[in-house]
């Protein structure tokens, strides 16, 4: 069994959720094929968990170092920014 934790992936998800990924945030998106390739490599190595994409790995590592309340507020701001259609990081 493998748990796959992808970051932002180029699919119809954001559009259907009323979000727009553009600018700096769009540079960090992975294709579904890239996510699958990383997942398959993790399966071959018999790993039980994989966080795909280098930027997603950095963010998850960094968020573990923050107090939960701060990490939650930061995540909320990013999602609210995406919901407004501005794209994160602009």
């Amino acid at each position: 069994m493998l748990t796959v934790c992808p970051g932002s992936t180029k699919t119809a998800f954001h559009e259907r959720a009323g979000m727009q990924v553009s600018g700096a945030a769009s540079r960090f998106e992975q294709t579904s094929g890239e996510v699958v390739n990383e997942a398959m490599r993790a399966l071959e190595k018999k790993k039980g968990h994989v966080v795909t994409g280098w930027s997603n790995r950095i963010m998850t590592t960094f968020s573990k170092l923050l107090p939960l309340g701060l990490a939650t507020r930061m995540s909320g701001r990013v999602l609210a920014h995406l919901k407004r259609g501005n794209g994160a990081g602009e």
Side-chain angles (χ1 to χ4, degrees):
M1 184 181 306
L2 175 68
T3 301
V4 180
C5 301
S8 186
T9 306
K10 293 177 186 174
T11 65
F13 173 84
H14 291 105
E15 180 182 340
R16 288 187 180 145
M19 299 177 174
Q20 181 181 5
V21 179
S22 62
S26 65
R27 291 185 214 120
F28 298 111
E29 282 189 311
Q30 289 185 284
T31 65
S32 55
E34 290 168 330
V35 173
V36 168
N37 287 337
E38 285 193 51
M40 296 305 291
R41 283 194 300 273
L43 272 175
E44 289 171 358
K45 295 178 181 180
K46 308 237 187 276
K47 292 186 176 184
H49 176 99
V50 64
V51 176
T52 66
W54 66 269
S55 62
N56 196 29
R57 283 191 291 278
I58 290 170
M59 286 188 289
T60 56
T61 300
F62 178 67
S63 68
K64 291 177 190 175
L65 303 174
L66 298 174
L68 180 59
L70 178 59
T72 302
R73 283 191 303 277
M74 290 174 65
S75 295
R77 286 183 181 182
V78 168
L79 291 174
H81 195 73
L82 290 173
K83 187 71 173 175
R84 287 191 303 266
N86 297 323
E90 289 188 335

